[in-house]
């Protein structure tokens, strides 16, 4: 996901944010009420689960404490503290329980056994890779009892430069993958997101925006194989065993609806030894509206080596725009291209910096000059703010009057942000049914809306979420429709939720069509084959459709 990590306003210290989504917020109040009372109810189930796991004869289960973490363990406490930062939307009818256990499997056989014991005891499973789900669905649940299957120990990365591929454990982060690639080669990269602490499991399976998507497509477009465990504990040794339908579904359709992906095989891409990045800050007074309006018309049509995104924000009461770019080449070619195609931005030589591809990841993450090992930090997301996010896709340029209406609304709250990411290039070459991600040709750019707040207070939360919903309503006439598109990795439970165990395809289509368009029916049919009893389910999981 092209989540805006550690975004800094010009000449100000970085504002830090805590990745707490709306669903995560929605669970807090009843979570506190039920915390004490629930333990006596789940203790027998917890004991039965531990007993089930201990009956396994394989030696890897002899030391269960390294695999199973009970509420008195440190790892469990760390997760509980994360959950305790979350609040509840008064408008949502959720109740929450803490997970009865957290499992941190090291092998596929341990995942297999965890799933079999969960299914036997009717215990729900939440699969966590990096924990960046915008609504917390990888570690929170309105269904009880449940366990968290944390894949943190499945993070091996094997680079094969001869094949130009890599096998990546589903618990690895994007940053860990980038680090391993950079250590192995100066001319290889991978087209994924710019936030190093995001887990590859959710990122790949939801699509995976990144600064090279106009050149190479989404992260999911570059997945060539995978290993998978289904609800019956069957281990699929790659794409051939799972079949093309399931392999299609997990590359953009949200793998957590179908089972547990344990490893991904990705195709590495060639990158030049020298890339160029620039950041241009544009105050409102410097024709900002006209230049943003112009960007809409040209960003998706520029050569596919050039990616320019726009970040709109409120800085000290004044709306500003930041143009941030990645060019797969040198300054000597970038400046003439910009002068020809986008002279309105006024790009100068001194605005640009040449660097290696991996250094461009640091640049986009606002960490230029820091050691490469910074990419290995899995905890970059835990900071001081809370947020609510939404997404849209734009097919036609928003008129200047429409943009001015957005700027006006940005004065109403403290920390609004809008990130506009261009499509075009390779994104247009891939058909809308080739993967579950349908937002291809015909879409100019994606919008990620975000609003942040500092105060741990229900009224503050409701004020900001209400503002976000009003902005989203205002944007309706300017964005895609029938259905209005949304991006799975910017998950938004406002679009709709599965409120019953046996949610129908028709009911789930309310939100499913927004993420997947006509691909949603095929996803549901795949679900009907691989998981007909709907064992893997959450508030926005694909329901089984059996035909």
């Amino acid at each position: 996901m092209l989540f805006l990590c550690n975004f800094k306003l010009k000449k100000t210290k970085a504002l830090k944010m805590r990745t707490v989504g709306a669903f995560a917020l929605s669970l807090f109040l009843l979570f506190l009420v039920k915390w004490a009372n629930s333990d006596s109810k789940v203790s027998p189930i917890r004991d039965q689960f531990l007993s089930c796991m201990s009956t396994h004869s394989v030696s890897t289960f002899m030391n269960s404490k390294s695999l199973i973490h009970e509420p008195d363990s440190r790892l469990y406490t760390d997760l509980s503290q994360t959950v305790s930062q979350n609040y509840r939307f008064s408008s949502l009818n959720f109740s929450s329980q803490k997970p009865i256990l957290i499992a941190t499997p090291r092998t596929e056989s341990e995942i297999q056994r965890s799933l079999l014991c969960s299914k036997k005891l009717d215990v729900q499973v939440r699969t966590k890779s990096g924990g960046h789900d915008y609504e917390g669905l990888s570690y929170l649940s309105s269904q009880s009892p449940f366990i968290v299957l944390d894949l943190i120990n499945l993070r091996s990365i094997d680079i094969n430069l001869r094949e130009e591929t890599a096998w990546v454990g589903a618990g690895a982060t994007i940053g860990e993958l980038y680090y391993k690639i950079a250590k192995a080669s100066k001319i290889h990269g991978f087209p994924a997101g710019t936030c190093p602490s995001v887990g590859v499991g959710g990122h790949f399976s939801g699509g995976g925006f990144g600064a090279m998507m106009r050149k190479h497509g989404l992260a999911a477009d570059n997945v060539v194989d995978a290993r998978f465990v289904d609800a019956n504990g069957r281990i699929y040794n790659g794409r051939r065993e799972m079949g093309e339908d399931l392999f299609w579904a997990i590359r953009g359709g949200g793998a957590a609806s179908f089972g547990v992906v344990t490893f991904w095989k990705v195709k590495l891409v060639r990158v030049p030894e020298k890339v160029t990045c620039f950041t241009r800050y544009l105050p409102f007074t410097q024709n900002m509206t006209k230049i943003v309006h112009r960007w809409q018309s040209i960003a998706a049509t520029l050569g596919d080596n050039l990616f320019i995104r726009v970040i709109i924000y409120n800085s000290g009461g004044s709306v500003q725009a930041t143009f941030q770019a990645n060019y797969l080449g040198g300054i000597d070619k970038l400046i003439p291209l910009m002068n020809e195609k986008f002279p309105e931005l006024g790009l100068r030589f001194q605005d640009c910096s040449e660097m290696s591809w991996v250094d461009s990841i640091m640049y986009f993450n606002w960490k230029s000059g820091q050691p490469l090992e910074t990419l290995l930090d899995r905890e970059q997301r835990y900071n001081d703010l809370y947020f609510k996010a939404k997404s849209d896709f734009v097919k036609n340029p928003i008129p200047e009057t429409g943009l001015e209406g957005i700027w006006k609304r940005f004065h109403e709250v403290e920390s609004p942000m809008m990130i506009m990411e261009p499509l075009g290039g390779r994104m247009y070459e891939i058909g809308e049914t080739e993967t579950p991600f349908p937002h291809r040709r015909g879409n100019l750019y994606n919008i990620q809306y975000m609003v942040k707040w500092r105060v741990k207070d229900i009224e503050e939360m409701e004020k900001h979420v209400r503002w976000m919903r009003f902005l989203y309503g205002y944007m309706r006439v300017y964005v895609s429709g029938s259905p209005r598109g949304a991006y799975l990795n910017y998950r938004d439970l406002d679009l709709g939720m599965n409120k019953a165990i046996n949610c129908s395809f028709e009911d789930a289509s309310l939100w499913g069509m927004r993420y997947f368009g006509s691909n949603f029916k095929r996803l549901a049919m795949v679900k009907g084959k691989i998981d007909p009893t709907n064992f893997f389910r959450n508030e926005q999981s694909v329901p089984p459709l059996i035909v």
Side-chain angles (χ1 to χ4, degrees):
M1 62 186 67
L2 204 63
F3 178 83
L4 194 66
C5 288
N6 299 318
F7 176 64
K8 294 192 291 188
L9 305 183
K10 187 178 183 182
K11 296 182 180 180
T12 64
K13 188 177 180 180
L15 290 176
K16 297 182 179 180
M17 62 181 72
R18 179 181 299 276
T19 56
V20 177
F23 179 60
L25 295 172
S26 74
L27 297 176
F28 178 64
L29 291 183
L30 287 183
F31 178 84
L32 290 180
V33 173
K34 294 190 175 187
W35 183 278
N37 296 331
S38 63
D39 194 63
S40 62
K41 297 178 182 179
V42 302
S43 289
I45 301 175
R46 182 187 301 125
D47 293 341
Q48 292 174 45
F49 189 92
L50 291 169
S51 176
C52 178
M53 295 294 291
S54 66
T55 60
H56 202 286
S57 60
V58 178
S59 60
T60 56
F61 289 102
M62 296 302 291
N63 183 13
S64 62
K65 288 186 178 181
S66 64
L67 167 66
I68 303 297
H69 305 272
E70 298 185 63
D72 59 355
S73 73
R74 180 172 180 177
L75 186 147
Y76 188 102
T77 301
D78 289 344
L79 178 66
S80 299
Q81 289 174 345
T82 299
V83 174
S84 72
Q85 302 298 319
N86 304 333
Y87 298 87
R88 174 179 175 80
F89 282 129
S90 59
S91 60
L92 296 180
N93 230 356
F94 276 125
S95 61
S96 169
Q97 301 283 349
K98 57 183 178 179
I100 61 172
L101 296 165
I102 298 171
T104 53
R106 298 156 296 186
T107 65
E108 289 173 334
S109 61
E110 292 179 347
I111 292 176
Q112 178 186 57
R113 190 62 182 172
S114 298
L115 295 177
L116 290 174
C117 289
S118 296
K119 192 171 185 180
K120 177 182 178 181
L121 299 171
D122 195 24
V123 172
Q124 285 297 294
V125 174
R126 288 288 187 265
T127 305
K128 177 177 175 286
S129 174
H132 280 72
D133 187 290
Y134 273 18
E135 301 282 29
L137 297 191
S138 60
Y139 57 90
L140 296 174
S141 177
S142 61
Q143 304 168 14
S144 182
F146 75 101
I147 68 166
V148 171
L149 197 64
D150 192 330
L151 303 181
I152 190 170
N153 290 326
L154 271 71
R155 49 202 284 207
S156 64
I157 300 172
D158 296 318
I159 307 290
N160 186 326
L161 291 182
R162 182 177 60 82
E163 290 186 356
E164 297 186 302
T165 60
W167 274 102
V168 187
T173 64
I174 299 170
E176 289 167 345
L177 174 60
Y178 291 161
Y179 180 84
K180 280 294 188 75
I181 294 172
K183 287 295 185 179
S185 172
K186 294 182 178 180
I187 60 169
H188 289 89
F190 187 72
T194 57
C195 279
S197 60
V198 170
V200 303
H203 187 68
F204 292 179
S205 76
F209 283 177
M212 290 200 295
M213 65 180 175
R214 300 192 66 250
K215 180 70 173 182
H216 298 291
L218 304 174
D221 298 330
N222 293 274
V223 171
V224 296
D225 208 341
R227 293 179 62 87
F228 181 86
V229 185
D230 70 14
N232 295 317
R234 178 182 173 184
I235 299 173
Y236 295 78
N237 185 22
R239 176 176 183 172
R240 182 174 299 178
E241 286 190 15
M242 74 176 71
E244 287 302 305
D245 282 345
L246 179 56
F247 183 65
W248 172 86
I250 62 177
R251 292 177 299 130
S257 290
F258 305 95
V260 180
V261 175
T262 56
F263 293 91
W264 302 87
K265 186 179 183 181
V266 300
K267 175 182 63 179
L268 304 183
V269 301
R270 293 290 184 104
V271 296
E273 291 194 32
K274 179 171 58 178
V275 306
T276 304
C277 294
F278 71 77
T279 301
R280 282 280 283 154
Y281 299 95
L282 201 64
F284 179 77
T285 55
Q286 294 183 10
N287 293 321
M288 186 188 89
T289 302
K290 290 186 179 297
I291 295 175
V292 172
H293 182 262
R294 173 61 178 159
W295 171 90
Q296 295 179 97
S297 299
I298 58 95
T301 66
L302 296 169
D304 57 14
N305 286 324
L306 179 57
F307 172 89
I308 307 175
R309 69 177 181 182
V310 181
I311 305 162
I312 309 295
Y313 53 95
N314 187 335
S315 176
S318 176
V319 176
Q320 298 190 33
T322 291
F323 291 77
Q324 191 179 42
N326 181 67
Y327 177 66
L328 300 175
I331 297 177
D332 58 329
K333 294 184 178 180
L334 174 61
I335 294 294
L337 175 63
M338 290 293 292
N339 288 339
E340 176 187 358
K341 301 293 186 179
F342 197 14
E344 295 86 351
L345 189 60
L347 185 68
R348 303 163 299 177
F349 184 91
Q350 57 265 37
D351 298 320
C352 304
S353 300
E354 292 183 341
M355 62 194 72
S356 68
W357 165 77
V358 74
D359 285 332
S360 74
I361 300 298
M362 305 286 283
Y363 181 93
F364 263 67
N365 198 35
W366 310 95
K367 292 183 179 295
S368 293
Q370 296 192 24
L372 194 61
E373 284 69 25
T374 304
L375 294 173
L376 304 177
D377 182 3
R378 297 179 67 96
E379 302 301 322
Q380 292 181 35
R381 67 190 184 91
Y382 294 113
N383 299 310
D384 298 327
L385 299 182
Y386 308 93
F387 76 82
K388 169 62 183 171
K390 288 181 174 291
S391 64
D392 263 319
F393 288 87
V394 178
K395 294 179 177 290
N396 298 292
I398 300 170
E400 290 185 25
T401 54
L403 294 174
E404 289 167 354
I406 300 172
W407 313 158
K408 178 180 179 181
R409 284 160 176 80
F410 265 44
H411 290 288
E412 297 172 353
V413 288
E414 178 185 357
S415 299
M417 188 178 295
M418 190 168 86
I419 308 163
M420 306 155 78
E421 303 151 346
L423 304 182
R426 180 63 178 152
M427 292 294 291
Y428 284 177
E429 296 171 358
I430 300 171
E432 64 182 24
T433 62
E434 288 189 42
T435 72
F437 180 91
H439 313 289
R440 305 284 185 170
R441 182 171 293 276
N443 294 281
L444 297 176
Y445 60 93
N446 168 263
I447 299 177
Q448 179 183 186
Y449 311 97
M450 186 174 293
V451 64
K452 303 171 290 180
W453 60 97
R454 293 191 181 94
V455 180
K456 187 176 178 179
D457 179 78
I458 292 295
E459 290 185 3
E460 279 293 302
M461 177 206 69
E462 290 180 341
K463 180 184 78 172
H464 287 84
V465 172
R466 185 167 54 249
W467 177 87
M468 174 62 75
R469 290 171 178 166
F470 284 153
L471 176 64
Y472 190 70
Y474 168 79
M475 293 295 295
R476 179 181 59 82
V477 298
Y478 301 118
V479 298
S480 63
S482 301
R484 183 175 181 175
Y487 175 40
L488 180 63
N489 279 351
Y490 300 152
R491 191 189 298 278
D492 179 10
L493 289 181
D494 285 352
L495 302 181
M497 292 175 285
N498 302 337
K499 296 184 179 180
I501 293 176
N502 296 314
C503 179
S504 70
F505 170 76
E506 289 73 20
D507 288 343
S509 294
L510 178 67
W511 57 266
M513 293 290 290
R514 307 280 285 274
Y515 293 133
F516 307 115
S518 61
N519 294 327
F520 187 57
K521 184 174 182 179
R522 183 181 175 188
L523 286 170
M525 293 172 68
V526 174
K527 172 76 168 183
K529 293 178 181 178
I530 192 67
D531 185 21
T533 63
N534 203 23
F535 174 72
F536 289 105
R537 62 182 183 269
N538 60 46
E539 288 69 24
Q540 272 190 354
S541 59
V542 176
L545 180 62
I546 301 173
V547 295

